[in-house]
Amino acid sequence: MYKNSILKKFSIVILLVVAAISCDSSNTNTPELEASLLSTASIDGYTVELFSENNLRSGYNNLYWKVSKDGEVIELDSFSAMPIMHMTQMSHSCPYTSPEMMSDFTDYYQSSANFIMPSGEMGYWEVQLEFTTKSNEAISGEIDIEVEPSWMITSAQSSNGNVYFISWYAPETPKTGNQDLAFMVHKRESMMSFPAVSDAELEVYPYMDMGGGEGHSTPFETPAATGAGMYEGSINYSMSGTWTTTVTVMTEADTSSAVTFEYSVRAQ
Amino acid sequence: MKFLKLFLLFGIGLHAISFSQTHTLYVYDAKKKTPLENAHIMHKQKMIGYTKADGSVEINHEIEEVMIHLLGYLETTFSISQSADTAFVVPSVYQMDDDIVVYAHGNQPDINNYKNSSAHLTLDQMLDNVDGVSMIQRGAFAWEPMIRGQDDQRINLMIDGMQVFKACVDKMDPVTSYVESDNLSKLIIDKSGSGVAENGNGNSTINLITKKPDFESFKLNVSTGVRYPDFYRVISTTSEVSSEQHSFRFSGSIKQADDFVAGGDSNISNSGFGKVNLNLAYRYRAGSGNTLDISYIFDDARDVGYPALLMDATRALANMLRVQYNWNEPGTNVSNTSLLIYANTIDHEMDDYERDVANRAVMRNMYMPMAGITKTAGAKLSRNLSIAEQPVSLFVDGYISKAFGDMMMISLFDIEDMYITNLGDIYTGSTRVGAKTNFLFSENVLLKLEESLEFNRVELTDKSSKSFFEGSYGKEVQPRARFLFSSSAHLTWLLNDRLSLSTKGIFSQRQANYIELYGHYIYNYVDGFFYDGNPFLKPETTLNSEINAQYQIAENAFSVSAYYKQIYNYISGMIDEDISNQFYQFKRYDNVGDAYLTGFEVRWLSNWTRSLTTDIRTAYTYAQNKTLDEPLPLIPPVHGSFLTSYSANTFSVSTTLEWAAQQQRIAEQTSIEDQTSGFAILNFEAGKTWGNKLETRLTINNILDQYYNQHTSIGNIPESGRSFMITLSYSL
């Protein structure tokens, strides 16, 4: 099967960029991260900036961090960024990874977050930041974020009472033809802990409802575990329109209820 | 040997025998050298006399060329000159041409040829009249021809030698729908597929030959007709003006029909249609005898109902331009050469806005407007020459065609519109070389050999479609390029002047066509499945054999042909169970194994008197998918016709009994066809010519108003019930 490593693809997603040819006579290529500034926080004299390719949305997101002081980018010894949603009666986190310095854009640290719900009347999101500078200065604070709703994450409860969060990872923008199909699966251990589930099998069924309860599927390869909660396969959309994909998580001792993603596939 | 040479001379249409100034023409048997009585002498499709017992007939001195027709003899064109007065005609049992010809107008039939019995028979009806040819019907319009159980991609359909590709993925527009019978000179049908040199492969072939200007100083014809109860009405005109070197011909027709009515007064909704067809033709004749032909066909059909299908054609538009130059090279070994250059486009649009989409069997609750387009351009060079006194014909042929088709799906519910590309900018290119020659082994044995080598390349260029197939098959989709070889041998044995036997053997390779390779989500009305192509199909290989016997006794001529065709790597749809469900079922094309077709055609033509003729025909095909061990789908049962015609002076009358047996051999795995009952219907026609200018004709079809359907009718759509049609034709 035509299978590209999705992780690889998405780390490059960082959308490396292409070289813009500068206007000066030196003709220097300056790669730039293709991401937009979403939020800024000033913490103890440090400026923390959050970038991403799109507005943050429920589901999987890449987060790019830049920390500076007096206009100078700061290199850090350690860095953690934990998303927290504050609700009326409680707070909770979501599946996330800690920031790591990017190899291609050393001014930036990259992490990810699978927001399990959007901002709204139910509550608001912030990211709790902790970092240590090279001069061993420990800094902590928060940065406000806005998370928009999307179709790209859903939860399923198993007969054993476990709650699984299934994130739609790829294709980010479904289109007709063959492409990678990937999901991320996390299990809720507590309100603050969502470890990746890497030993499950997925049961997947794409379907197009063409009206009146009639429809059809399309060729696909069921995603299989590749580590870190990632499941990779492929899907071959036969036509544009609204599709659903039903996913069931099956572990050795547990089977989740089936959950359905509904989304639009565009023509290429 | 002299006889065969003479025979060959006539067979390839070189009629150099001249005629004396007395304009008394003598017609003789070419072998016995005896005079022939009652030979019909035709000029410009009109009878101008009969030969007497001494073979003579008086010809008007202004007439330069006549057609000689006599039952049991090959139809012969005779050019009248100053020095010869005897035409030798060859018994038709010595038929050497592989093709049969259906003349559009006028000409009398012989055992190898047919005539159009009515001035207003449609092209579909003319084809349906030929034994071995059946028509797949989806309504009253644009029937799809099938030759000996083979259709679509397994037969060649050409117009004046041009490659033309249909634009509708649902086969609403077979190429035959773009030529009107009033613009048709003749149909050339190669049932066996032995004409591989000219046709480029061993497929059965139908070539529609349109009328060309023939240097009439002025000619005008206006015809009109109306039919009850579907109120089919037609008005057509042809005209011609010419000078010494330039000749122009125009023909045009407008047709309109309401829904037709089947037997028992059953109205068939969504079966009406409207159509305009125009043809402009120009011929330049140089003093050297070289000619230049330019012709343009415009065909525009609108609001065509297809009761058997989910949709109706909103518009089917064809534009075809053709330029051909023919030249002679005196003093060389090349007798004549022609170069044909052509281009054509077909645009097809269909939708189901007039249908009850909520209650149909499949794809309910949505409208599905579809569009398709093909664009084709090509060239063909043909040379007839002599190499070491051996007649050789050479052909070099090439074309490129682009096909595109797509479909919107607009739900009745609050669902996002859906879109699919059925044919994603597919390019088909072909280059072919072919050669044929004849060998005389003895005075009575003739061998004809034909070879063809083709380079065929089909490429899918649409990114989305390509991605889909790459995902489906897990490998990169490259252009499908193949060398394809075809060869045929035709041996004729002249046992005596009454009986000939011939046998043919044909080897042919066929590349899967662009729909089999790259078609996507194409609904097949025969089996109810949606089809996806397979870019990795192997070519089909076909071995075909045919034997034919022709026998002539007095005023009776018999012909019987039997054939056996074996197809290896047979391409057919295989169920894709992974994505099929009770509402939507999918198939992918695949090489499923072997299949064979066998059958026979029998014809008995008899002239009981000079005016009374009968023509009895029967055909049968037995076809089996060997891998699935079931019949191939849509194979017509044994069927036939019995025509009795009487003509005297300006009056003619005929009756035809058409019949078909029941068909119980059906494909249950690869189709959803069902068994069909037998039927017999009776047709009647009478015509009279008034003052040589006005012709009137009355046609009554299905006199007994039988309710029936052909086995090849998709969805068992019935045939028309009793209908009456009156036609008037006036010529200047």
Side-chain angles (χ1 to χ4, degrees):
Chain A
M1 222 356 107
Y2 253 98
K3 207 154 137 192
N4 299 322
S5 162
I6 295 175
L7 281 174
K8 191 172 175 185
K9 202 170 177 184
F10 254 91
S11 35
I12 302 177
V13 172
I14 310 209
L15 304 172
L16 280 176
V17 191
V18 194
I21 296 179
S22 68
C23 297
D24 65 7
S25 56
S26 62
N27 200 25
T28 306
N29 293 333
T30 308
E32 290 182 5
L33 181 69
E34 278 201 353
S36 304
L37 177 63
L38 299 181
S39 187
T40 303
S42 292
I43 308 172
D44 296 341
Y46 290 88
T47 300
V48 180
E49 294 171 297
L50 171 61
F51 299 79
S52 190
E53 295 92 351
N54 307 295
N55 289 342
L56 300 180
R57 62 196 174 195
S58 56
Y60 178 85
N61 295 263
N62 286 313
L63 307 177
Y64 307 102
W65 305 95
K66 185 158 78 173
V67 181
S68 58
K69 187 173 188 181
D70 300 330
E72 291 289 320
V73 175
I74 302 298
E75 189 175 347
L76 304 174
D77 254 2
S78 66
F79 192 2
S80 74
M82 181 171 74
I84 297 286
M85 183 176 209
H86 298 288
M87 304 177 77
T88 311
Q89 302 290 332
M90 54 172 284
S91 296
H92 65 79
S93 183
C94 67
Y96 69 96
T97 60
S98 292
E100 292 184 4
M101 182 184 282
M102 298 177 69
S103 56
D104 299 318
F105 302 94
T106 52
D107 287 352
Y108 294 88
Y109 290 77
Q110 182 187 358
S111 66
S112 69
N114 299 54
F115 298 110
I116 60 177
M117 59 189 296
S119 306
E121 293 180 356
M122 300 281 289
Y124 65 92
W125 284 96
E126 65 179 20
V127 180
Q128 294 184 348
L129 305 171
E130 291 183 5
F131 55 86
T132 308
T133 64
K134 289 291 182 188
S135 57
N136 212 24
E137 188 177 4
I139 307 295
S140 62
E142 299 83 37
I143 185 168
D144 294 333
I145 56 172
E146 184 72 20
V147 176
E148 298 175 352
S150 86
W151 57 271
M152 302 180 82
I153 191 168
T154 187
S155 63
Q157 191 159 8
S158 74
S159 52
N160 294 340
N162 293 318
V163 174
Y164 294 92
F165 286 94
I166 305 163
S167 303
W168 180 284
Y169 186 84
E172 186 181 12
T173 307
K175 55 186 184 295
T176 53
N178 194 47
Q179 57 225 277
D180 296 325
L181 174 65
F183 299 95
M184 295 179 77
V185 180
H186 296 85
K187 181 179 173 183
R188 187 177 70 192
E189 273 187 349
S190 68
M191 298 306 280
M192 295 297 160
S193 176
F194 298 82
V197 178
S198 299
D199 59 350
E201 288 185 1
L202 301 188
E203 190 174 273
V204 172
Y205 187 67
Y207 182 76
M208 171 175 260
D209 181 357
M210 303 187 82
E214 298 176 6
H216 58 81
S217 186
T218 200
F220 68 98
E221 179 197 14
T222 302
T226 55
M230 183 69 74
Y231 294 80
E232 297 179 58
S234 65
I235 190 163
N236 202 359
Y237 291 110
S238 57
M239 64 175 70
S240 73
T242 300
W243 284 82
T244 60
T245 298
T246 302
V247 181
T248 304
V249 178
M250 296 176 292
T251 64
E252 200 166 302
D254 208 8
T255 299
S256 76
S257 59
V259 294
T260 300
F261 295 90
E262 182 173 323
Y263 51 95
S264 180
V265 173
R266 65 176 174 79
Q268 280 199 57
Chain B
M1 184 61 81
K2 279 183 179 177
F3 169 72
L4 266 176
K5 285 182 177 175
L6 182 61
F7 161 53
L8 280 173
L9 193 64
F10 277 95
I12 59 176
L14 300 176
H15 307 289
I17 304 169
S18 57
F19 187 64
S20 73
Q21 272 191 320
T22 63
H23 289 185
T24 299
L25 172 66
Y26 292 90
V27 178
Y28 274 61
D29 183 298
K31 185 168 186 182
K32 296 178 184 174
K33 305 296 185 294
T34 55
L36 294 172
E37 186 180 9
N38 287 334
H40 295 206
I41 309 301
M42 316 281 292
H43 176 62
K44 295 190 182 299
Q45 301 172 359
K46 293 180 181 174
M47 184 75 69
I48 58 172
Y50 300 92
T51 54
K52 302 172 185 172
D54 62 352
S56 69
V57 61
E58 296 298 321
I59 304 293
N60 187 304
H61 70 282
E62 294 179 347
I63 293 175
E64 297 176 346
E65 186 179 87
V66 295
M67 182 77 78
I68 302 168
H69 177 84
L70 180 60
L71 183 61
Y73 290 83
L74 294 179
E75 195 167 67
T76 303
T77 302
F78 189 82
S79 297
I80 299 169
S81 68
Q82 302 300 313
S83 57
D85 62 356
T86 305
F88 294 96
V89 294
V90 179
S92 59
V93 292
Y94 301 131
Q95 165 84 2
M96 63 168 289
D97 203 338
D98 295 337
D99 303 324
I100 64 167
V101 178
V102 184
Y103 291 103
H105 300 287
N107 301 61
Q108 296 299 307
D110 64 36
I111 196 64
N112 293 296
N113 297 328
Y114 301 81
K115 73 163 184 171
N116 179 6
S117 59
S118 169
H120 285 286
L121 274 186
T122 65
L123 187 56
D124 295 337
Q125 291 168 320
M126 291 170 65
L127 281 165
D128 200 27
N129 197 32
V130 178
D131 45 82
V133 178
S134 302
M135 305 302 287
I136 298 174
Q137 300 168 24
R138 296 169 174 82
F141 185 79
W143 297 349
E144 181 188 358
M146 167 187 277
I147 304 176
R148 291 179 172 172
Q150 300 283 275
D151 66 300
D152 197 20
Q153 63 271 35
R154 293 188 180 89
I155 65 174
N156 303 317
L157 294 178
M158 294 186 282
I159 299 174
D160 287 323
M162 288 190 291
Q163 294 286 339
V164 185
F165 294 92
K166 64 181 185 291
C168 175
V169 295
D170 286 342
K171 306 179 183 179
M172 286 182 178
D173 63 336
V175 170
T176 45
S177 68
Y178 294 113
V179 175
E180 287 297 320
S181 57
D182 59 9
N183 187 35
L184 186 73
S185 173
K186 58 187 176 183
L187 294 165
I188 298 178
I189 303 174
D190 174 9
K191 289 193 281 192
S192 69
S194 62
V196 300
E198 186 163 6
N199 299 329
N201 54 43
N203 293 345
S204 302
T205 298
I206 296 175
N207 191 5
L208 288 70
I209 307 299
T210 61
K211 286 185 176 174
K212 309 295 185 304
D214 59 2
F215 290 92
E216 289 270 357
S217 58
F218 177 75
K219 185 164 65 177
L220 176 65
N221 172 273
V222 178
S223 299
T224 187
V226 63
R227 185 171 63 201
Y228 176 83
D230 64 345
F231 292 103
Y232 167 73
R233 53 272 189 201
V234 55
I235 182 166
S236 64
T237 181
T238 60
S239 60
E240 185 170 323
V241 290
S242 307
S243 65
E244 184 66 25
Q245 290 188 306
H246 306 277
S247 185
F248 297 87
R249 183 181 186 279
F250 166 76
S251 68
S253 66
I254 301 173
K255 294 180 174 179
Q256 192 80 36
D258 298 340
D259 292 344
F260 76 88
V261 179
D265 205 24
S266 304
N267 188 70
I268 306 301
S269 57
N270 292 310
S271 61
F273 63 90
K275 190 172 194 276
V276 174
N277 182 277
L278 303 174
N279 180 65
L280 291 168
Y282 163 75
R283 173 170 283 181
Y284 169 74
R285 180 171 61 186
S288 58
N290 299 346
T291 58
L292 173 68
D293 282 295
I294 302 174
S295 62
Y296 169 67
I297 294 175
F298 170 85
D299 188 272
D300 188 359
R302 299 191 183 213
D303 301 324
V304 182
Y306 288 88
L309 308 186
L310 299 179
M311 288 185 273
D312 304 307
T314 315
R315 191 176 193 194
L317 177 66
N319 286 281
M320 303 178 188
L321 180 65
R322 179 180 183 279
V323 178
Q324 181 168 338
Y325 186 60
N326 307 290
W327 71 94
N328 303 306
E329 298 173 47
T332 71
N333 64 336
V334 180
S335 58
N336 57 71
T337 307
S338 73
L339 175 63
L340 167 67
I341 299 172
Y342 60 89
N344 56 71
T345 66
I346 309 289
D347 291 86
H348 194 274
E349 298 170 11
M350 56 183 171
D351 63 48
D352 47 5
Y353 293 126
E354 302 297 321
R355 301 297 189 95
D356 178 9
V357 299
N359 294 299
R360 62 187 175 199
V362 294
M363 301 195 85
R364 278 186 281 265
N365 303 309
M366 69 177 79
Y367 294 113
M368 303 182 298
M370 296 181 75
I373 184 168
T374 62
K375 296 180 178 181
T376 306
K380 185 172 192 174
L381 179 71
S382 309
R383 302 200 91 183
N384 294 315
L385 64 161
S386 175
I387 301 175
E389 298 189 354
Q390 186 69 28
V392 175
S393 296
L394 299 176
F395 304 91
V396 181
D397 179 14
Y399 68 84
I400 184 165
S401 181
K402 177 186 175 184
F404 175 81
D406 64 0
M407 173 170 69
M408 283 290 294
M409 287 153 281
I410 304 166
S411 177
L412 299 182
F413 301 98
D414 185 20
I415 291 177
E416 179 184 5
D417 290 349
M418 295 153 273
Y419 175 82
I420 198 163
T421 304
N422 303 109
L423 301 174
D425 288 338
I426 306 169
Y427 289 83
T428 302
S430 171
T431 304
R432 305 188 287 215
V433 293
K436 68 178 179 181
T437 189
N438 303 317
F439 297 95
L440 289 170
F441 284 120
S442 72
E443 187 169 324
N444 295 315
V445 178
L446 172 72
L447 175 66
K448 185 163 72 172
L449 296 178
E450 300 200 23
E451 319 290 337
S452 171
L453 180 64
E454 174 183 11
F455 178 71
N456 184 285
R457 184 178 187 275
V458 189
E459 181 177 9
L460 174 67
T461 62
D462 176 67
K463 188 178 172 185
S464 173
S465 304
K466 206 169 175 179
S467 170
F468 177 82
F469 287 111
E470 289 178 340
S472 296
Y473 290 90
K475 46 188 171 181
E476 192 172 356
V477 172
Q478 297 283 356
R480 204 68 178 157
R482 296 275 185 182
F483 280 100
L484 305 166
F485 177 69
S486 299
S487 176
S488 73
H490 179 188
L491 186 69
T492 301
W493 180 21
L494 315 176
L495 280 79
N496 53 51
D497 60 355
R498 297 283 184 197
L499 177 64
S500 73
L501 298 175
S502 68
T503 182
K504 298 174 186 176
I506 302 119
F507 170 86
S508 180
Q509 292 177 303
R510 182 183 76 85
Q511 164 98 302
N513 74 356
Y514 60 91
I515 291 178
E516 293 168 314
L517 289 170
Y518 302 125
H520 177 41
Y521 210 88
I522 294 175
Y523 187 64
N524 185 337
Y525 293 88
V526 175
D527 60 11
F529 280 78
F530 292 87
Y531 274 64
D532 278 326
N534 178 349
F536 306 99
L537 289 171
K538 291 179 282 190
E540 282 183 354
T541 300
T542 301
L543 289 176
N544 188 16
S545 59
E546 177 184 308
I547 56 172
N548 171 265
Q550 293 189 14
Y551 190 51
Q552 169 77 30
I553 311 172
E555 296 296 326
N556 295 276
F558 300 90
S559 173
V560 57
S561 298
Y563 59 91
Y564 180 89
K565 176 183 274 191
Q566 176 93 24
I567 305 174
Y568 302 93
N569 289 328
Y570 188 75
I571 296 172
S572 182
M574 297 298 286
I575 295 175
D576 189 343
E577 292 180 343
D578 289 343
I579 57 173
S580 296
N581 57 36
Q582 60 176 319
F583 303 115
Y584 290 85
Q585 296 185 300
F586 294 85
K587 283 186 176 179
R588 292 181 184 180
Y589 283 107
D590 210 342
N591 297 103
V592 299
D594 302 340
Y596 70 90
L597 302 97
T598 185
F600 65 84
E601 290 129 21
V602 179
R603 189 179 187 196
W604 171 25
L605 188 61
S606 182
N607 275 358
W608 299 97
T609 70
R610 180 182 294 178
S611 300
L612 181 64
T613 302
T614 58
D615 188 355
I616 301 173
R617 289 174 250 161
T618 302
Y620 177 64
T621 300
Y622 181 98
Q624 186 80 0
N625 185 325
K626 293 175 74 173
T627 305
L628 300 177
D629 193 27
E630 71 163 10
L632 294 179
L634 282 184
I635 300 299
V638 60
H639 63 282
S641 65
F642 184 175
L643 167 71
T644 304
S645 65
Y646 177 84
S647 61
N649 299 321
T650 59
F651 178 72
S652 66
V653 62
S654 68
T655 61
T656 308
L657 174 70
E658 293 179 27
W659 61 272
Q662 61 180 348
Q663 178 57 289
Q664 295 180 308
R665 286 178 46 77
I666 57 173
E668 295 180 333
Q669 299 176 64
T670 59
S671 90
I672 52 173
E673 65 177 344
D674 54 6
Q675 298 183 0
T676 46
S677 304
F679 67 85
I681 62 165
L682 193 61
N683 304 324
F684 169 83
E685 182 173 284
K688 175 151 179 74
T689 303
W690 312 80
N692 214 26
K693 289 189 174 180
L694 178 65
E695 181 184 346
T696 57
R697 191 167 291 271
L698 168 67
T699 306
I700 308 174
N701 283 333
N702 195 357
I703 294 171
L704 302 177
D705 201 28
Q706 297 286 309
Y707 183 95
Y708 72 103
N709 68 271
Q710 302 271 6
H711 184 71
T712 51
S713 173
I714 304 294
N716 292 337
I717 298 297
E719 300 290 309
S720 176
R722 181 168 46 235
S723 66
F724 302 85
M725 184 164 183
I726 296 173
T727 57
L728 301 174
S729 177
Y730 186 79
S731 300
L732 283 177

